[in-house]
Amino acid sequence: MSRTRSVASSALGVHRRTVLAATAAVSVSAGVGYALRPTDSRAATTDTGARRAGAPVAQSRQAPAAPLVPYTRGTTLAGVAAPRTSSGYRRLGDGPGWNRRVRSELAAPKTGRAGRRTALAAFVQLTDMHIIDAQHPMRLEYLRSTDVHAWRPHEALTVHGAISLVERVNALRGAPVTGAPLHFAMTTGDNTDNNAKSELEWFLTVMSGGRISPNTGDPRRYEGVQNSGLKQYWQPDTTVRDADKQLGFPHLEGFLAAAVRELNSPGLNLPWYSTVGNHDSMPLGCYGLGDSWLAEYAVGGKKLMSLPASEAKKLQDTIKNDKDPKGTAFRDLLKAHTRDMRSVTPDERRAPYTAADYLKAHLDPAHRGLGPVGHGYSTANLDTGTQYYSFRIADDVIGISLDTTDPGGHYNGSIGTAQLKWLDKTLRDNKDSYAIVFSHHTSKTMENTNPDPARPGERRHNGQEVIALLASHANVLAWVNGHIHRNDITPHSAPDGRSFWEISTASHVDFPQLARVIELVDNKDGTLSLFTTCVESSAPHRTDFADLSQTGLAALYRELSFNAPGARTDLAGDSQDRNTELVLKKG
């Protein structure tokens, strides 16, 4: 198989919906590959066998009818949200764009490559959307008494922000550098925030399209910390001089009613795939599933809204230091504060979901959108209890989605031996294809080797071991991930000259709220380039406090996140971590 065929050429003249009707993921479970069609699965020991089974490449849009590249509109090359006031609560407006940086740590860029390059693949990465059920009893808002950023003033608007991001992706005219069609989107985990069924339903509807009421409990009104009267939280609907209003946050009468009002998502207009994160796998992103008392508390009629700073600090330290992976101490703390809890409306939709629930929800035809069936996951994953798979991006490119979450507890990750062996085999079986690897955790945050309760005898492997494995395969070009909520691009090289780029992208819950377009091109000179281009949501940079429409709230979501007390200011990364050309030698 040629390793230089252009994926753009294979998409010419193909109608998007015709392709999507047959789109299939080449999914795998523990060491066995499956070629999936929308209605069946077939065992295949190699990717070549999967291709014979008829699984097409992941593709969506036709190539543009007229030349339009390179283009900047709708990307951070053209402009970004930036403060237009200098103190207090800072209003946002239009700021200058971010330039593209060429990075040559792994290969020297050669002159004239722009006129020679051929597009191989183009896709969008969305990560850490953290769709939040803001009224959920399990939320840890009360940690704000010790850490002001433990609760964010914009958390009731995550659905609004996510829909606006979908709208931005839908409006992109293609890949900004090459003009190639965008073939798919990949979410790299923490799609939900609290492992709640309500959040999972909202996430899947945001991505695939439909109506969403971002509200649980009492269907008529909001019941949470933002109308509690507690001054440590922003009370938008009242004139209470809470801590955030003292910093300049506005009084917005009607905000909470607007925040839980029904919304509409158009859904992505290209296929999308899903990778699991720790917040998708475990309550609060850190506690192993299985405690029946916590499960009952999640759906029950009591909610703790305040906690003394000393106890909050102890709880936060316990989480950070991985001292309570099963949530036993957390359960005991809640039990000790039963009399301090406030009454809320019980709701079964707030129940935690299992890994099997997560897979079944992705496979549900109600959430298919433009496909593929299962969004990468398959009935094979259900049968084997796995959440990793591979799929063909283009004729010469495969995608590999890993499960780096650790069901034993804690928010950092690792992978088990079976998955590591499967990764090695998948790369060997597809040595004639370039490979893009996706995961939630970064290499540096894969340091949690708690045993998996379902596989207690299996060894867990850290990020350095994954780097070593990936670097041993000449076809690996990039490892794309999230988790750290920050743009960060790292070169990895092996002594024999094999190399790849690790691309970590900022979240969509913390400012600057970004996604990333990634393009792979062959420069026809012995090098390849990966172009990365950050994009914001479609919401306007300027907000209007009188505009509580779906669009107005999406804009406010961004501005509130910029002003969130205690928020980090370095999450955009340096210029070399944003819009880039990452040069590689051909393997």
Side-chain angles (χ1 to χ4, degrees):
M1 180 191 303
S2 164
R3 290 185 59 175
T4 58
R5 187 182 306 169
S6 167
V7 69
S9 65
S10 69
L12 291 172
V14 181
H15 189 274
R16 170 165 48 87
R17 294 190 181 273
T18 302
V19 171
L20 290 170
T23 299
V26 182
S27 293
V28 290
S29 58
V32 181
Y34 291 85
L36 294 180
R37 300 184 181 194
T39 56
D40 64 9
S41 64
R42 184 182 305 172
T45 56
T46 67
D47 186 66
T48 301
R51 290 176 62 97
R52 284 198 297 268
V57 297
Q59 55 184 292
S60 177
R61 301 166 175 162
Q62 298 181 17
L68 52 79
V69 294
Y71 79 90
T72 63
R73 184 177 180 181
T75 76
T76 58
L77 292 161
V80 297
R84 56 188 176 88
T85 55
S86 60
S87 62
Y89 178 94
R90 302 177 72 183
R91 308 303 300 275
L92 296 183
D94 299 331
W98 296 332
N99 293 329
R100 191 177 301 282
R101 290 280 302 274
V102 179
R103 295 191 57 176
S104 56
E105 293 100 311
L106 298 180
K110 299 182 180 179
T111 59
R113 65 192 182 283
R116 295 188 299 267
R117 68 172 61 115
T118 300
L120 300 179
F123 60 91
V124 182
Q125 179 205 10
L126 301 87
T127 193
D128 295 84
M129 286 195 285
H130 286 273
I131 300 296
I132 294 174
D133 181 347
Q135 302 169 76
H136 198 289
M138 287 275 281
R139 294 200 55 72
L140 300 176
E141 296 107 334
Y142 40 80
L143 290 183
R144 203 182 205 208
S145 63
T146 187
D147 176 0
V148 69
H149 194 56
W151 175 79
R152 310 172 182 94
H154 54 286
E155 289 183 353
L157 302 179
T158 55
V159 174
H160 303 73
I163 291 173
S164 186
L165 183 61
V166 165
E167 292 171 341
R168 166 60 67 211
V169 173
N170 288 349
L172 294 173
R173 301 175 64 194
V177 175
T178 63
L182 296 171
H183 297 95
F184 68 97
M186 171 63 82
T187 72
T188 51
D190 284 3
N191 307 307
T192 64
D193 188 75
N194 198 34
N195 180 245
K197 289 182 177 179
S198 52
E199 296 170 343
L200 181 58
E201 173 73 19
W202 300 345
F203 160 70
L204 292 168
T205 306
V206 165
M207 298 293 284
S208 294
R211 308 293 297 183
I212 306 167
S213 295
N215 185 33
T216 55
D218 190 331
R220 301 163 298 177
R221 66 188 184 96
Y222 168 94
E223 299 175 299
V225 298
Q226 287 192 270
N227 66 355
S228 64
L230 294 169
K231 291 185 178 181
Q232 71 175 352
Y233 308 111
W234 179 43
Q235 307 291 304
D237 279 55
T238 72
T239 57
V240 170
R241 289 291 294 168
D242 58 68
D244 291 332
K245 287 206 189 80
Q246 292 177 39
L247 297 174
F249 275 66
H251 167 215
L252 299 177
E253 189 171 349
F255 173 87
L256 293 175
V260 299
R261 199 162 48 214
E262 187 180 66
L263 305 167
N264 180 64
S265 173
L268 284 169
N269 66 2
L270 69 166
W272 64 273
Y273 292 81
S274 185
T275 294
V276 66
N278 55 294
H279 279 263
D280 306 313
S281 295
M282 296 174 284
L284 303 172
C286 62
Y287 292 133
L289 286 163
D291 190 299
S292 59
W293 191 92
L294 288 175
E296 287 297 320
Y297 177 73
V299 302
K302 295 292 184 179
K303 178 178 171 64
L304 185 63
M305 296 190 185
S306 62
L307 194 66
S310 59
E311 291 188 71
K313 179 69 164 59
K314 182 178 179 181
L315 174 59
Q316 187 177 59
D317 288 346
T318 299
I319 293 172
K320 286 183 177 180
N321 297 323
D322 191 23
K323 299 297 185 182
D324 187 31
K326 295 183 179 180
T328 303
F330 176 56
R331 178 196 63 200
D332 292 344
L333 180 145
L334 291 173
K335 284 184 175 181
H337 285 275
T338 301
R339 292 185 178 181
D340 302 321
M341 294 179 182
R342 302 190 178 200
S343 295
V344 295
T345 303
D347 197 327
E348 291 292 330
R349 293 176 297 166
R350 294 169 173 159
Y353 58 83
T354 64
D357 294 331
Y358 189 73
L359 294 170
K360 290 175 183 177
H362 280 77
L363 288 160
D364 188 337
H367 299 308
R368 180 176 177 179
L370 295 187
V373 172
H375 303 289
Y377 300 118
S378 70
T379 54
N381 291 116
L382 269 175
D383 292 343
T384 57
T386 59
Q387 295 186 92
Y388 48 90
Y389 60 91
S390 69
F391 64 105
R392 184 151 291 281
I393 293 173
D395 287 347
D396 305 318
V397 187
I398 64 164
I400 298 174
S401 173
L402 301 179
D403 173 10
T404 57
T405 66
D406 192 331
H410 195 46
Y411 52 80
N412 283 340
S414 58
I415 63 175
T417 297
Q419 185 175 181
L420 191 73
K421 289 181 177 179
W422 166 84
L423 174 60
D424 185 44
K425 183 179 187 301
T426 302
L427 290 169
R428 282 189 283 108
D429 289 347
N430 293 276
K431 63 181 182 297
D432 291 327
S433 294
Y434 295 121
I436 308 291
V437 178
F438 301 93
S439 73
H440 177 63
H441 292 90
T442 66
S443 60
K444 291 180 180 179
T445 57
M446 289 180 63
E447 55 189 15
N448 166 27
T449 55
N450 287 327
D452 180 349
R455 301 169 178 84
E458 184 183 45
R459 184 187 163 207
R460 303 290 296 185
H461 300 268
N462 63 29
Q464 292 305 306
E465 292 174 276
V466 175
I467 287 174
L469 188 149
L470 296 180
S472 72
H473 292 274
N475 55 335
V476 175
L477 304 182
W479 181 2
V480 180
N481 50 44
H483 186 61
I484 58 175
H485 291 210
R486 184 180 187 273
N487 287 328
D488 186 81
I489 299 178
T490 305
H492 293 290
S493 59
D496 61 3
R498 296 177 179 181
S499 57
F500 66 92
W501 290 94
E502 184 173 355
I503 303 169
S504 306
T505 300
S507 75
H508 206 255
V509 69
D510 291 315
F511 189 84
Q513 298 183 334
L514 301 173
R516 201 190 291 262
V517 180
I518 299 176
E519 305 172 64
L520 170 60
V521 306
D522 185 343
N523 293 319
K524 301 296 185 179
D525 58 10
T527 67
L528 303 166
S529 288
L530 288 158
F531 288 95
T532 72
T533 307
C534 294
V535 296
E536 300 172 301
S537 78
S538 65
H541 293 155
R542 285 178 177 258
T543 60
D544 178 353
F545 289 157
D547 182 3
L548 298 181
S549 67
Q550 180 171 326
T551 298
L553 289 175
L556 190 59
Y557 178 62
R558 182 193 292 122
E559 187 170 279
L560 292 172
S561 74
F562 177 81
N563 285 281
R568 288 175 55 180
T569 58
D570 64 344
L571 298 180
D574 298 327
S575 60
Q576 64 180 8
D577 302 309
R578 304 169 189 167
N579 301 327
T580 67
E581 179 185 359
L582 312 174
V583 188
L584 284 159
K585 292 178 182 177
K586 268 191 186 179

